[in-house]
Amino acid sequence: MSADLGRVVMVVPTYNEADNLAWIVGRLRVARPEVDVLVVDDSSPDGTGVIADQLAGEDPQVSVVHRSEKGGLGAAYRHGFEVAMERGYDVIGEMDADGSHQPEQLGRMLDALREADLVIGARWVPGGSVVNWPKSRELLSRGGNLYVRILLGLKVRDATAGFRLFRRSALTAIDLASVESTGYVFQTDLAYRVVMAGLRVVEVPIEFVERERGDSKMTPEVATESLRRITVWGIQERGRQAADLVGRWKGRWR
């Protein structure tokens, strides 16, 4: 149970998920009846927003935020997080609408949050797995996460994962309003900020299932942009480390 964690909401961003939304929200409400749902729809032309409104009309624990345009995954999550914080939630989670993140595994993540500030449902830790992914997609994800660990010095093994739970205090500590990432790199950005703030990150193994309906939003262009942003951050981090080292060296010789 998550009663001792306070009020919990899962933010679910959507763009053209009419085939999946009711199905995944229904599973979430059955798996964790005490958890609220906040759908953030980026003006989906396929009617996803209408379906979200219908779900909210039938269930007081489901609410919807309609955005005027498609602004990117990170922008949708940030907007949803801000709304959730304004509404006083203690735990703010995130998950995809396409079924790749299984609500039935949320319980183990809530349990882990008792000893953490951020819990990540991770694919690339012992016990984690992916289903129906081609080897090329797996290599891209594993390679991207290895690149993140090397460049940013993170110990997190799945910094790009999108199944997460944040304590409200963690989002406050990292100054959510200052986050500028709008695409998929948003996930890495927030994980990095949480670690740099000295907060505790716990990774819980999950089974990630590739979507069965609809089109993936991950494209080579999106992946390239994410790697570019991470490279810039890595160079900046190495610069800070070098400056700290020089400062300590000078201090010893004064």
Side-chain angles (χ1 to χ4, degrees), residues 108-126:
R108 68 182 72 165
M109 295 172 61
L110 288 164
D111 289 341
L113 192 64
R114 292 181 173 86
E115 305 296 331
D117 299 291
L118 163 61
V119 172
I120 298 175
R123 300 157 294 184
W124 314 127
V125 297

mmCIF file of all heavy atoms in Angstrom, residues 108-126:
data_model
loop_
_atom_site.group_PDB
_atom_site.id
_atom_site.type_symbol
_atom_site.label_atom_id
_atom_site.label_comp_id
_atom_site.label_asym_id
_atom_site.label_seq_id
_atom_site.Cartn_x
_atom_site.Cartn_y
_atom_site.Cartn_z
ATOM 1 N N ARG A 108 5.805 -2.358 -6.666
ATOM 2 C CA ARG A 108 7.195 -2.541 -6.224
ATOM 3 C C ARG A 108 7.956 -1.216 -6.259
ATOM 4 O O ARG A 108 8.877 -0.998 -5.464
ATOM 5 C CB ARG A 108 7.895 -3.588 -7.080
ATOM 6 C CG ARG A 108 8.138 -3.189 -8.519
ATOM 7 C CD ARG A 108 8.801 -4.269 -9.353
ATOM 8 N NE ARG A 108 7.883 -5.355 -9.646
ATOM 9 C CZ ARG A 108 8.122 -6.268 -10.592
ATOM 10 N NH1 ARG A 108 9.257 -6.227 -11.299
ATOM 11 N NH2 ARG A 108 7.259 -7.219 -10.837
ATOM 12 N N MET A 109 7.558 -0.324 -7.161
ATOM 13 C CA MET A 109 8.197 0.985 -7.226
ATOM 14 C C MET A 109 7.765 1.852 -6.041
ATOM 15 O O MET A 109 8.571 2.573 -5.450
ATOM 16 C CB MET A 109 7.879 1.657 -8.556
ATOM 17 C CG MET A 109 8.450 0.929 -9.760
ATOM 18 S SD MET A 109 7.893 1.582 -11.362
ATOM 19 C CE MET A 109 8.511 3.255 -11.293
ATOM 20 N N LEU A 110 6.490 1.791 -5.688
ATOM 21 C CA LEU A 110 6.006 2.523 -4.520
ATOM 22 C C LEU A 110 6.691 2.037 -3.250
ATOM 23 O O LEU A 110 7.060 2.833 -2.380
ATOM 24 C CB LEU A 110 4.487 2.374 -4.400
ATOM 25 C CG LEU A 110 3.661 3.139 -5.446
ATOM 26 C CD1 LEU A 110 2.231 2.622 -5.486
ATOM 27 C CD2 LEU A 110 3.688 4.634 -5.162
ATOM 28 N N ASP A 111 6.891 0.740 -3.142
ATOM 29 C CA ASP A 111 7.605 0.189 -1.979
ATOM 30 C C ASP A 111 9.022 0.754 -1.904
ATOM 31 O O ASP A 111 9.501 1.131 -0.827
ATOM 32 C CB ASP A 111 7.659 -1.336 -2.060
ATOM 33 C CG ASP A 111 6.304 -1.981 -1.808
ATOM 34 O OD1 ASP A 111 5.429 -1.312 -1.230
ATOM 35 O OD2 ASP A 111 6.120 -3.156 -2.201
ATOM 36 N N ALA A 112 9.702 0.833 -3.062
ATOM 37 C CA ALA A 112 11.081 1.314 -3.095
ATOM 38 C C ALA A 112 11.170 2.799 -2.757
ATOM 39 O O ALA A 112 12.197 3.259 -2.244
ATOM 40 C CB ALA A 112 11.692 1.062 -4.476
ATOM 41 N N LEU A 113 10.102 3.553 -3.021
ATOM 42 C CA LEU A 113 10.145 4.999 -2.787
ATOM 43 C C LEU A 113 10.242 5.324 -1.302
ATOM 44 O O LEU A 113 10.618 6.442 -0.947
ATOM 45 C CB LEU A 113 8.909 5.665 -3.402
ATOM 46 C CG LEU A 113 8.951 7.191 -3.501
ATOM 47 C CD1 LEU A 113 10.072 7.654 -4.435
ATOM 48 C CD2 LEU A 113 7.607 7.754 -3.966
ATOM 49 N N ARG A 114 9.920 4.392 -0.448
ATOM 50 C CA ARG A 114 10.029 4.642 0.991
ATOM 51 C C ARG A 114 11.476 4.921 1.400
ATOM 52 O O ARG A 114 11.722 5.543 2.428
ATOM 53 C CB ARG A 114 9.474 3.458 1.771
ATOM 54 C CG ARG A 114 7.973 3.303 1.624
ATOM 55 C CD ARG A 114 7.421 2.129 2.429
ATOM 56 N NE ARG A 114 5.965 2.122 2.393
ATOM 57 C CZ ARG A 114 5.225 1.560 1.445
ATOM 58 N NH1 ARG A 114 5.834 0.960 0.433
ATOM 59 N NH2 ARG A 114 3.908 1.607 1.484
ATOM 60 N N GLU A 115 12.425 4.445 0.587
ATOM 61 C CA GLU A 115 13.843 4.637 0.883
ATOM 62 C C GLU A 115 14.537 5.436 -0.200
ATOM 63 O O GLU A 115 15.759 5.345 -0.362
ATOM 64 C CB GLU A 115 14.540 3.274 1.039
ATOM 65 C CG GLU A 115 13.919 2.355 2.066
ATOM 66 C CD GLU A 115 14.008 2.932 3.475
ATOM 67 O OE1 GLU A 115 14.961 3.686 3.746
ATOM 68 O OE2 GLU A 115 13.120 2.623 4.298
ATOM 69 N N ALA A 116 13.780 6.218 -0.962
ATOM 70 C CA ALA A 116 14.376 6.943 -2.097
ATOM 71 C C ALA A 116 13.656 8.255 -2.341
ATOM 72 O O ALA A 116 12.577 8.509 -1.806
ATOM 73 C CB ALA A 116 14.331 6.074 -3.352
ATOM 74 N N ASP A 117 14.303 9.089 -3.154
ATOM 75 C CA ASP A 117 13.691 10.338 -3.608
ATOM 76 C C ASP A 117 13.167 10.202 -5.035
ATOM 77 O O ASP A 117 12.228 10.886 -5.426
ATOM 78 C CB ASP A 117 14.720 11.467 -3.545
ATOM 79 C CG ASP A 117 15.232 11.695 -2.135
ATOM 80 O OD1 ASP A 117 14.455 12.177 -1.295
ATOM 81 O OD2 ASP A 117 16.404 11.361 -1.869
ATOM 82 N N LEU A 118 13.808 9.321 -5.795
ATOM 83 C CA LEU A 118 13.389 9.015 -7.163
ATOM 84 C C LEU A 118 13.525 7.514 -7.368
ATOM 85 O O LEU A 118 14.568 6.933 -7.071
ATOM 86 C CB LEU A 118 14.255 9.762 -8.177
ATOM 87 C CG LEU A 118 14.221 9.262 -9.637
ATOM 88 C CD1 LEU A 118 12.820 9.367 -10.225
ATOM 89 C CD2 LEU A 118 15.232 10.033 -10.496
ATOM 90 N N VAL A 119 12.472 6.904 -7.852
ATOM 91 C CA VAL A 119 12.510 5.487 -8.211
ATOM 92 C C VAL A 119 12.327 5.379 -9.717
ATOM 93 O O VAL A 119 11.403 5.975 -10.288
ATOM 94 C CB VAL A 119 11.413 4.681 -7.490
ATOM 95 C CG1 VAL A 119 11.348 3.253 -8.039
ATOM 96 C CG2 VAL A 119 11.671 4.654 -5.992
ATOM 97 N N ILE A 120 13.206 4.619 -10.360
ATOM 98 C CA ILE A 120 13.147 4.412 -11.807
ATOM 99 C C ILE A 120 12.820 2.952 -12.077
ATOM 100 O O ILE A 120 13.489 2.052 -11.562
ATOM 101 C CB ILE A 120 14.485 4.773 -12.478
ATOM 102 C CG1 ILE A 120 14.800 6.258 -12.275
ATOM 103 C CG2 ILE A 120 14.459 4.433 -13.963
ATOM 104 C CD1 ILE A 120 16.160 6.669 -12.814
ATOM 105 N N GLY A 121 11.787 2.711 -12.866
ATOM 106 C CA GLY A 121 11.510 1.362 -13.349
ATOM 107 C C GLY A 121 12.480 1.064 -14.474
ATOM 108 O O GLY A 121 12.350 1.599 -15.576
ATOM 109 N N ALA A 122 13.488 0.241 -14.193
ATOM 110 C CA ALA A 122 14.642 0.101 -15.080
ATOM 111 C C ALA A 122 14.643 -1.211 -15.862
ATOM 112 O O ALA A 122 14.302 -2.265 -15.341
ATOM 113 C CB ALA A 122 15.930 0.213 -14.261
ATOM 114 N N ARG A 123 15.075 -1.086 -17.117
ATOM 115 C CA ARG A 123 15.205 -2.251 -17.993
ATOM 116 C C ARG A 123 16.576 -2.888 -17.901
ATOM 117 O O ARG A 123 16.720 -4.103 -18.028
ATOM 118 C CB ARG A 123 14.957 -1.812 -19.444
ATOM 119 C CG ARG A 123 13.595 -1.213 -19.696
ATOM 120 C CD ARG A 123 13.583 -0.309 -20.915
ATOM 121 N NE ARG A 123 14.405 0.887 -20.722
ATOM 122 C CZ ARG A 123 14.517 1.865 -21.592
ATOM 123 N NH1 ARG A 123 13.868 1.798 -22.748
ATOM 124 N NH2 ARG A 123 15.275 2.916 -21.337
ATOM 125 N N TRP A 124 17.614 -2.056 -17.679
ATOM 126 C CA TRP A 124 18.993 -2.522 -17.815
ATOM 127 C C TRP A 124 19.663 -2.750 -16.468
ATOM 128 O O TRP A 124 20.810 -2.404 -16.263
ATOM 129 C CB TRP A 124 19.794 -1.550 -18.674
ATOM 130 C CG TRP A 124 19.078 -1.146 -19.924
ATOM 131 C CD1 TRP A 124 18.833 0.119 -20.363
ATOM 132 C CD2 TRP A 124 18.505 -2.003 -20.919
ATOM 133 N NE1 TRP A 124 18.150 0.110 -21.544
ATOM 134 C CE2 TRP A 124 17.930 -1.183 -21.914
ATOM 135 C CE3 TRP A 124 18.413 -3.394 -21.048
ATOM 136 C CZ2 TRP A 124 17.283 -1.699 -23.024
ATOM 137 C CZ3 TRP A 124 17.752 -3.916 -22.161
ATOM 138 C CH2 TRP A 124 17.206 -3.079 -23.129
ATOM 139 N N VAL A 125 18.917 -3.320 -15.530
ATOM 140 C CA VAL A 125 19.464 -3.762 -14.247
ATOM 141 C C VAL A 125 19.120 -5.234 -14.114
ATOM 142 O O VAL A 125 18.232 -5.744 -14.820
ATOM 143 C CB VAL A 125 18.869 -2.963 -13.059
ATOM 144 C CG1 VAL A 125 19.227 -1.490 -13.164
ATOM 145 C CG2 VAL A 125 17.359 -3.139 -12.985
ATOM 146 N N PRO A 126 19.829 -5.984 -13.236
ATOM 147 C CA PRO A 126 19.499 -7.402 -13.052
ATOM 148 C C PRO A 126 18.019 -7.587 -12.738
ATOM 149 O O PRO A 126 17.468 -6.935 -11.856
ATOM 150 C CB PRO A 126 20.381 -7.802 -11.861
ATOM 151 C CG PRO A 126 21.570 -6.890 -11.955
ATOM 152 C CD PRO A 126 21.005 -5.573 -12.434
#
